Amino acid sequence: APAPAPAPAPTVPEPAPTGEGPPRVAADGGAKPVLPPTVAYVAGLMPLSTTGVGEFLRAHPAYDGRGVLIAILDSGIDAGAPGLVVTSTGAPKVLDLRDFSGEGRVALVPVEPAGDGRVMVGGRLLRGAGRIARLATSGRWYAGTFRELPLGRPPAADLNGNGTNTDEYPVIVVRATDGWAAFLDSNLDGSFEDEMPLHDYRQGRETLALGTEPITLAANLEESDRGPVLDLYFDTSGHGTHVAGIAAGFNLYDVQGFHGVAPGAQLIGLKIANNARGGVTVHGSMVRAMEYAARFAQRRGLPLVLNLSFGVGNEREGRAVIDSIVNAFIAAHPSVVFAISAGNDGPGLSTVGFPGSADLAITVGATYPGVFARPPEPGGTPPADRLGFWSARGGELLKPDVVVPGIAFSTVPRWNLGEEVKLGTSMAAPHVSGLAACLLSAMAQEGRRVSGADIAQALAASARRFTGATVLDQGAGVPQLTAAYEWLVAGHQGSRYLVRTASGASAAFRHSGALSEGDTLEVFRVSHAAGLRAAQYLLRPLVPWLSAPDLLPAAPGVTEIPVVRRPGRAPPGPGVQVGTILAFNPNDTLAGPLFRLVTAVIVAHDLDDRPFAEPRRVVPAGGVQRYFFQVDRPDATLEAAVTLADSTRERALLKLYEPGGRPFRGGAERTVGEDDGGTARFVVRSEDLVPGVYELDVVARPLEPVTVAVRVERSPVGLAVTAGDLEATNHGSATARGPLRASLLGAQATFAVDAQGAPAESLVVRVPAWAASAEVEVRLPPEQWDWFTDFGVTVFDSAGHQVGHEPLNYAVGRQSVDVESPGPGAPLVVELFPAFAWADRAPPWQALVSVRFLLREPRPLSEGPDVSVVPGGRVRVPLPSPGSLPLPHGFVPLVQASLGGAVRRVTVGAGR
């Protein structure tokens, strides 16, 4: 259809990044979309023009993904959502829905129908057994109850939209002439007489909707030695449904021409996430879903694209088990294209999560389309696109591979109306999946055989780069669909190589800063993984300060390539410098690089030497200014302050990262503007400080520059704990004098968890009457973090309601919950929910869990005597008495102490 005339787009509320699992906070269940879908369509809020989708499909309307299968590994797909019903050719859009999460599992037990036409289900006698008996072909019936409460909080867990999450649906399963069939008392009237049977979704794509703003349910019914197994499939997140609409929606919201990237493609929805636990994957769910998708596509002879908008942060880049599983899967299925989101922890360096860090996957970062920054004037054009500030960046990893729009207006379940605009690299991955589907569709219709490596390299070779951004920010850049198609038609062949540094990562990431002439920065080890194998590597540096051999033979196994600092060239200056060496096949340089050798060198400000102060810095519109600080004293306190030059007009986003790229555990993000008084601060207390290089980022809004002053300093005094006392050490050059100040915060207990395998572990603590909130901190060994695909931490109150669900994104995580106690001693349950990458292995694991109950306001304690600490000196300071505070069993008082600019939380008494 012809493109509509440009029209002004109304202002769209900017959502926060959704995370790589489903959104962690449910929507409010609004009754209408955030914008009318027709307005969103005309305004271009499904931003297809960025990658040239419209231009390509106008030239090749049949190459719209038809004949290609996209597997959405996510929170589920609501098959009743408008736009996910049929393809552009009228074929069914969703071919299968499978639950690998176990969230909708209904525990079934054998039952006998009574002679009076009733049947006992969950302790209740229900009518309608006669209707079921007329369809049943076996006398053995099975019954169970499907409860809303375990599904989490409304509106998502309110399946029928009646305002509560406490409904319980009786279920009967019997064998009928056409297989197993489930009956739900969907209207809770105590009778099955008015209910229709629900078969396995593969049989006839049957679904069931409950209530007025319902969630669409589908059934998975399988045979087992003990009878039927019933999983009810649904999307109580909205995340997977939104992703599916971007990848392949057709006539979204019944608006003619409002499509996703590949409207002709078909979908299978593979649910890997337990949405009730904050959207975490479960044990082996990723692997089982991948294998199922491959079997499904192979049996039907369909080209396959996998989309995984999911991930968690890397602790040790290149060592995650799921990365090796993804690489092995792609190697075993070379025709498959696998797109994975990069993560939302940007713009800090070294923040790409796993499994987006898998070498052979297409890792997708995000752009911020200009149409979302400012609506265009009638007949005008929107502002230029920017890189998404939230999009994860490479560092130790040579990722992402490409970047595409990471925000879109797409389809959502009916309960999720009002949340049609979602933002994150979760929204970028399905854009690339749709591009891959269009290319596979084109090649299949032209009778050309292509591999996943061909598609990946075609997308990278066609990409347009953002000026001023490095390869760690954007990979190859923004793919262009027409150019990628022409690359394939030209007969180029794709290649995949594994690049490894001595640390096992895929890029060199140096924090030392100082470089000597001729210094060997890294010896890269390169091996061929898939696709065309070159006989020689032609190496071309893109920066003057790096050099490598011009031409190297490709060894049959591993080729070692030294990269050195070129003599006579200036070394990198303050901040970060990124240098790239491209490797080409000398026989086909037009195919684009075979691989990249990337070296990033950071020159950090040493805060142990002196504070850092920059009185004025202009950050351009949409830009990121990075600062790096070396802190080697683990007992010190770090404080960073950013002040706007004009807080009445300007606004900025601040991000702080710990060494290694982990977002600051005490809250990594701050906004600064008029509402914040023009200044925002990060304070890293002594107990939280990690020695190494911290990164502070200042991010300007997409259309407006910002002028800031930055000051970062380390406290001259360090605070440690020795034998129940504070130990103050003066690392400065002047004598530190002053009183010890302390406040009672509440109480803390720490529990060591030694767990066996996949089952969840729970801790029960008692809420003291004085507590206003609780803080739950979970710490895992970093080497064990590599085993998981996810780790849920869910907090329940005494009634079984969720009061918090914040899955770990790294091996250390915190969440705060309100715990207004219904009475002294009410229980609070902390559930730890591991998800191992292996489908057939769940080894023992350990965790430390700290629970802190906090007063509504800190209670000042008596001020201690003045303390004097000479440079290089050390003084032990007794902590003041915390006074009387009724404590739950196992808890000790928690005090915050400060001295000489250092701040530390300390437990007082036994059990610390």
Side-chain angles (χ1 to χ4, degrees), residues 562-587:
V563 172
V564 303
R565 186 201 145 190
R566 182 172 289 171
R569 300 289 182 172
V576 60
Q577 298 291 331
V578 179
T580 302
I581 295 177
L582 302 180
F584 296 90
N585 183 344
N587 297 321

Side-chain angles (χ1 to χ4, degrees), residues 695-727:
E695 177 180 344
L696 173 66
D697 292 348
V698 180
V699 184
R701 290 192 290 184
L703 302 179
E704 300 168 3
V706 63
T707 303
V708 297
V710 178
R711 181 174 179 82
V712 184
E713 57 187 329
R714 171 191 62 78
S715 63
V717 172
L719 293 179
V721 180
T722 303
D725 292 333
L726 277 181
E727 186 173 81

